[in-house]
């Protein structure tokens, strides 16, 4: 086995939006873990850029605070924290003002061996001006890269505008569009499970799979996040994370793990998605919005209660369930049911591959009936894989059939900490590995599929169905799957 931590080339990481929430909660802690593991050292620099009037010391202190707040205590090491913080510096600028750019160029090193990465953790309205000045000031060298954080548009047209603006300064193989789900260990594990084992691929098709379910449930609310109300669950979660999961489950085996081999196959899935538009939309789509509920002595507010007064009455959906179809040979007739929402009963993300019933049972005289096999890939929390099988209940008393699960819990099996998605993604940018980033055509194919659903909902006289906070969503989502004689997978341990 190769070493787990392969050092990367020294870099200058310029982070636009350095004083923001994402930098504090995700980027700095992720970099710290990688620094601590020895993947880079003080020869690499992180240059924070933002409009706040900070200086180098303030940025370094913010790095220290973020590490103390978001890194597990057992990984805190004063000497490492001090060395890590010394990598940080800061530029106070207004990126829309050309004059201010000189301060950034003063911080960048000319050495061609130093990889330059520009991380745009800012509003997409700033992508175009930033890229314009990056180009004008000759910041882009062959080993420069740009990293784009979502939202990458709000529909196909706006995503094209963003892609065009960024494409003026960078070529496609320098552009890293983040979907942080792709950086999650368990999401990458879908590839290992499917393509490093011989046993699944022969049954991974409509002859053996009855249907697929994907649930990405969150227990937190959304109304206090300013951006969410313009986005809603469809754009916030389905257009990116869930469609990417659908792609990884449904794609054909790529010929290699090269970035484009994989992305070509994902793109084919997106293009094979049956369009969902106005006609019959109610039968295959449900949107909801959480209402308030009481949990013991605590009143959990509704989405409306969380919004600022002027936004009350919003029809933004905080829950979506869809029945999707993939129109190709492998998946013809196999529905993909997906659901995602805020303030649901638990925080759970998982993929269920529900296999078909056995064709004929020989157990006429047995107790218990054979139940179809099921593979559950748990993405979070309690990452792992469970295979539900039928066995004979041990002991005398004749043949008694019982369902059990082979449970591969990652926490019980591996000692290692599960790294956060950003740890992998931030350094893949430096390595120049685009495998876990979305290509332009993928992003646009995803929007092309989402737009008609959004449009139909916007034009509909009906709003989202209410559901009580802390439940599994509106009753319509249960009906959506039960109409087909199926149920959502819910284990007792939720
Ligand atoms: C983000 C969404 O992309 O993903 C959030 O904007 C959501 O609304 C988050 O909460 C979920 O990510 P995770 O890693 O916590 O499942």
């Amino acid at each position: 086995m190769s070493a787990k931590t392969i050092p990367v080339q020294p870099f200058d990481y310029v982070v636009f939006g350095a004083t923001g929430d994402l930098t504090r909660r995700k980027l700095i802690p992720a970099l710290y873990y990688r620094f601590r593991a020895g993947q880079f050292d003080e020869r690499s620099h992180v240059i924070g850029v933002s409009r706040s009037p900070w200086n180098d010391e303030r940025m370094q202190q913010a790095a220290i605070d973020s590490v103390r707040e978001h890194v597990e205590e057992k990984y805190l090491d004063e000497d490492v924290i001090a060395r890590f913080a010394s990598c940080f510096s800061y530029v106070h600028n207004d990126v829309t003002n050309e004059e201010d750019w000189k301060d950034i160029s003063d911080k960048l090193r000319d050495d061609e061996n130093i990889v330059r990465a520009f991380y745009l953790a800012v509003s997409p309205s700033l992508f175009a001006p930033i890229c314009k000045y990056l180009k004008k000031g000759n910041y882009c060298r062959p080993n420069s890269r740009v990293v784009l954080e979502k939202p990458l548009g709000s529909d196909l047209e706006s995503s094209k505008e963003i892609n065009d603006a960024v494409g003026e300064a960078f070529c496609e193989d320098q552009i890293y569009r983040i979907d942080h789900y792709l950086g999650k260990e368990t999401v990458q594990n879908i590839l290992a499970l499917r393509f490093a084992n011989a046993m699944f691929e022969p049954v991974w098709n409509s002859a053996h799979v009855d249907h697929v379910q994907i649930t990405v449930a969150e227990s937190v609310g959304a109304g206090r996040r300013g951006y969410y109300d313009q986005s809603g669950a469809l754009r916030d979660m389905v257009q990116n994370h869930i469609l990417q999961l659908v792609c990884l489950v449904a794609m054909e085996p790529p010929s290699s793990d090269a970035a484009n081999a994989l992305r070509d196959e994902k793109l084919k899935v997106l293009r094979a998605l049956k369009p969902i538009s106005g006609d019959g939309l109610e039968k295959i789509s449900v949107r909801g919005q959480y209402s308030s509920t009481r949990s013991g002595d605590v009143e959990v507010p509704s989405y409306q209660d969380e919004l600022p007064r002027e936004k009350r009455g919003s029809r933004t959906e905080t829950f979506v369930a869809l029945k999707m179809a993939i129109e190709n040979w492998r998946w013809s007739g196999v529905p993909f049911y997906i659901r995602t929402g805020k303030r649901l009963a638990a925080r759970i993300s998982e993929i269920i591959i529900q296999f078909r019933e056995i064709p004929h049972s020989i157990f006429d005289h047995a107790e218990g009936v054979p139940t179809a096999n099921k593979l559950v890939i748990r993405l979070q929390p309690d990452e792992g894989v469970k295979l539900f099988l039928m066995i004979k209940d041990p002991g005398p008393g004749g043949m008694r059939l019982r369902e059990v699960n082979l449970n591969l819990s990652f926490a019980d099996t591996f000692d290692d900490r599960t790294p956060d998605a950003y740890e992998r993604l931030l350094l893949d940018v430096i390595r120049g590995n685009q495998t876990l980033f979305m290509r332009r055509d993928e992003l646009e194919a995803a929007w092309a599929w989402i737009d008609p659903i959004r449009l139909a909902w916007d034009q509909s006289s009906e709003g989202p169905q209410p559901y009580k906070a802390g439940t599994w969503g509106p009753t319509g989502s249960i009906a959506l799957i039960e109409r087909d004689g199926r149920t959502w997978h819910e284990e007792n341990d939720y």
Side-chain angles (χ1 to χ4, degrees), residues 17 96 170 257 265 328 347 375 466 486:
T96 58
F170 295 91
D257 67 354
E265 296 307 333
N328 63 18
R347 175 176 182 255
L375 179 70
R486 300 171 174 123

Side-chain angles (χ1 to χ4, degrees), residues 127-129 131-132 160-170 440:
F127 289 0
C131 288
K132 179 171 107 187
K160 280 185 174 164
E161 278 166 20
I162 290 176
N163 284 328
D164 287 344
V166 177
E168 289 285 315
F170 295 91
R440 174 174 185 156

Side-chain angles (χ1 to χ4, degrees), residues 430-480:
I430 304 302
R431 289 186 198 99
N433 182 354
Q434 290 187 301
T435 309
L436 301 177
F437 297 84
M438 282 183 297
R439 209 168 54 191
R440 174 174 185 156
D441 47 10
E442 272 183 86
L443 176 73
E444 293 182 359
W447 278 123
W449 187 76
I450 289 289
D451 280 358
I453 307 177
R454 184 71 272 162
L455 184 71
W457 281 351
D458 289 347
Q459 288 173 345
S460 160
S461 54
E462 311 237 324
Q465 297 177 17
Y467 62 95
K468 274 206 176 316
T471 64
W472 285 104
T475 49
S477 93
I478 318 257
L480 172 91

Side-chain angles (χ1 to χ4, degrees), residues 150 180-181 184 218 225 236-237 241 342 347 380:
K150 63 178 280 220
H180 79 279
Y181 265 57
K184 287 183 191 277
E218 296 182 89
R225 272 172 74 199
D236 185 50
M237 296 296 289
H241 310 323
K342 304 280 185 195
R347 175 176 182 255
Q380 60 192 24

Side-chain angles (χ1 to χ4, degrees), residues 411-431:
D412 295 348
T413 313
F414 308 108
D415 294 335
D416 298 357
R417 178 184 67 87
T418 305
D420 185 75
Y422 280 95
E423 293 180 46
R424 169 78 194 255
L425 297 176
L426 279 164
L427 291 204
D428 272 359
V429 172
I430 304 302
R431 289 186 198 99

